[in-house]
């Protein structure tokens, strides 16, 4: 249990991961201030919390300063899937960079501990597998994914400079692929693609021969990791990778989805784009 832990701010709190985090924080007795600009988040994700006396929802864009009194900050605000973060790349970078500056400024003012939801994408197109936290990554600074990758890298830099320069209590977690209820059905990622195709009775499309592997972490495990990291000793900053070490082939994933959804979908193979 955190020490001064009663008032918790979750930015991006109506999104996929943020809403599950809000559920867990409310269950464990905290006061939760959920801040979101509803860019990709859906209010329905927190519908069950709206009437809770310890839950407050505020429409706010983290690229603008925020003045509230809180003890802990989970900074999750940022579109997470390529289809979303590439639709307004300038805003994506602003959300990561200005958002980090504003939330770190808030943490400094109110002496709050702050956790950054970073990403495995900070490793870019990596030369080593699996990627350990000490690996610096291989990121293209000028490509169409850079708004997300470089935005998150710059946010990490800001977190560590606030730690070194202002002795802020920071935690940086690098999140790997996560799945579970409330993920966006049209986010273009493989888990949602396969499930939506199976539910519609359409063919499940595998690009390549299906032997390529990925790892997927269930959202409850991810949230547990997030809470444990926030609660870790003050000298522990991370960055720390959080995900599932077990890998699955795309064919195994497609077969699992088919088994669980049922229906008549066939698996079809297409050339890699
Ligand atoms: N889901 C994953 O597999 C994954 C993997 C790596 C990292 N992450 C990180 O975790 C965090 C949450 O991801 P998610 O999957 O829940 O995505 P999501 O899109 O469901 O949630 C992001 C939330 O942030 C809000 N938001 C976006 N820009 C904002 C702004 N400027 N001000 C206020 N709110 C804003 C959105 O409306 C949304 O509710 C993100 O920072 C993402 O980069 C997620």
């Amino acid at each position: 249990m955190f020490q001064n832990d009663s008032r918790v701010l979750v930015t991006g709190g109506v999104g996929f991961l943020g809403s599950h985090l809000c559920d867990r924080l409310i269950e464990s007795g905290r006061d939760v201030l959920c801040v979101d600009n509803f860019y990709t988040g859906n209010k329905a994700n927190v519908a069950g919390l709206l009437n809770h006396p310890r839950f407050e929802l505020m429409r706010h864009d983290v690229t603008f300063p925020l003045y509230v009194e809180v003890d802990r900050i989970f900074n999750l605000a940022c579109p997470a899937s390529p289809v979303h973060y590439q639709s307004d790349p300038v805003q994506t970078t602003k959300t990561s960079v200005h958002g980090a500056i504003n939330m770190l400024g808030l943490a400094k003012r109110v002496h709050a501990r702050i956790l950054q939801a970073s990403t495995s994408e900070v490793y870019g197109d990596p030369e080593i597998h699996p990627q350990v936290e000490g690996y610096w990554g291989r990121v293209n600074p000028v490509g169409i994914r850079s708004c997300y990758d470089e935005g998150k890298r710059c946010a990490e830099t800001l977190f560590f400079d606030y730690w070194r320069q202002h002795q802020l209590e920071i935690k940086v977690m690098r999140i790997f692929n996560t799945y579970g209820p409330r993920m966006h059905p049209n986010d273009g990622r493989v888990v949602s693609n396969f499930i939506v195709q199976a539910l519609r009775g359409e063919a499940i499309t595998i690009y390549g021969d299906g032997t390529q592997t990925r790892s997927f972490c269930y959202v409850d495990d991810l949230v547990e990791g997030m809470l444990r990291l926030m609660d870790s000793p003050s000298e522990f900053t991370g960055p720390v990778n959080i995900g599932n070490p077990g890998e699955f082939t795309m064919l195994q994933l497609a077969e699992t989805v088919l088994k669980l959804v049922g229906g008549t979908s066939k698996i079809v193979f297409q050339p890699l784009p």
Side-chain angles (χ1 to χ4, degrees):
M1 190 71 79
F2 321 137
Q3 276 217 302
N4 298 310
D5 67 343
S6 53
R7 299 163 305 175
V8 182
L9 167 63
V10 180
T11 77
V14 306
F16 165 46
L17 300 182
S19 61
H20 285 277
L21 176 62
C22 288
D23 285 342
R24 280 288 302 274
L25 289 165
I26 288 290
E27 269 167 33
S28 60
R30 277 49 169 258
D31 281 321
V32 175
L33 173 58
C34 170
V35 161
D36 206 294
N37 70 349
F38 300 102
Y39 183 55
T40 52
N42 185 347
K43 213 182 199 176
N45 288 343
V46 294
L49 298 175
L50 289 175
N51 290 325
H52 197 287
R54 282 186 282 101
F55 182 80
E56 193 180 342
L57 176 60
M58 182 194 280
R59 182 188 288 267
H60 175 80
D61 187 319
V62 296
T63 62
F64 295 94
L66 180 65
Y67 298 92
V68 290
E69 297 295 321
V70 289
D71 308 305
R72 295 284 181 265
I73 303 170
F74 290 89
N75 188 35
L76 274 63
C78 188
S81 63
V83 61
H84 292 139
Y85 70 65
Q86 286 167 2
S87 81
D88 187 347
V90 172
Q91 174 66 13
T92 299
T93 304
K94 281 187 184 168
T95 295
S96 277
V97 177
H98 292 192
I101 292 170
N102 288 325
M103 292 309 115
L104 287 161
L106 170 65
K108 180 168 171 255
R109 274 195 302 280
V110 299
H111 305 291
R113 181 178 281 198
I114 181 167
L115 179 147
Q116 168 69 357
S118 190
T119 169
S120 57
E121 299 297 329
V122 298
Y123 300 121
D125 188 5
E127 297 117 320
I128 62 160
H129 295 277
Q131 295 85 50
V132 290
E133 287 88 343
Y135 175 57
W136 291 356
R138 179 165 167 261
V139 174
N140 173 3
V142 295
I144 56 167
R145 302 178 72 103
S146 314
C147 58
Y148 186 68
D149 302 0
E150 295 286 27
K152 289 285 189 181
R153 285 168 69 95
C154 184
E156 287 198 11
T157 305
L158 285 159
F159 267 67
F160 278 86
D161 283 334
Y162 266 78
W163 171 68
R164 279 184 285 260
Q165 201 173 330
H166 301 298
Q167 293 73 51
L168 225 65
E169 284 190 24
I170 63 151
K171 310 281 172 191
V172 174
M173 68 185 289
R174 294 182 178 155
I175 302 171
F176 284 64
N177 274 322
T178 307
Y179 72 97
R182 303 180 195 153
M183 66 192 301
H184 300 267
N186 301 318
D187 67 7
R189 298 199 214 186
V190 66
V191 175
S192 34
N193 279 357
F194 284 3
I195 293 173
V196 169
Q197 286 172 330
L199 286 172
R200 290 189 179 139
E202 295 166 2
I204 296 188
T205 332
I206 294 183
Y207 294 100
D209 62 4
T211 56
Q212 64 274 45
T213 59
R214 297 266 182 80
S215 74
F216 303 101
C217 181
Y218 188 62
V219 62
D220 290 355
D221 298 330
L222 194 278
V223 168
E224 179 67 29
M226 215 177 241
L227 292 168
R228 288 194 198 183
L229 176 59
M230 181 59 111
D231 212 10
S232 62
S234 56
E235 64 277 10
F236 185 77
T237 56
V240 59
N241 291 338
I242 302 206
N244 182 350
E247 300 207 358
F248 300 87
T249 67
M250 293 305 97
L251 186 57
Q252 282 174 317
L253 177 67
E255 285 168 348
T256 306
V257 168
L258 258 187
K259 198 168 90 197
L260 293 174
V261 173
T264 53
S265 296
K266 300 264 173 301
I267 298 176
V268 298
F269 296 87
Q270 288 192 356
L272 281 169

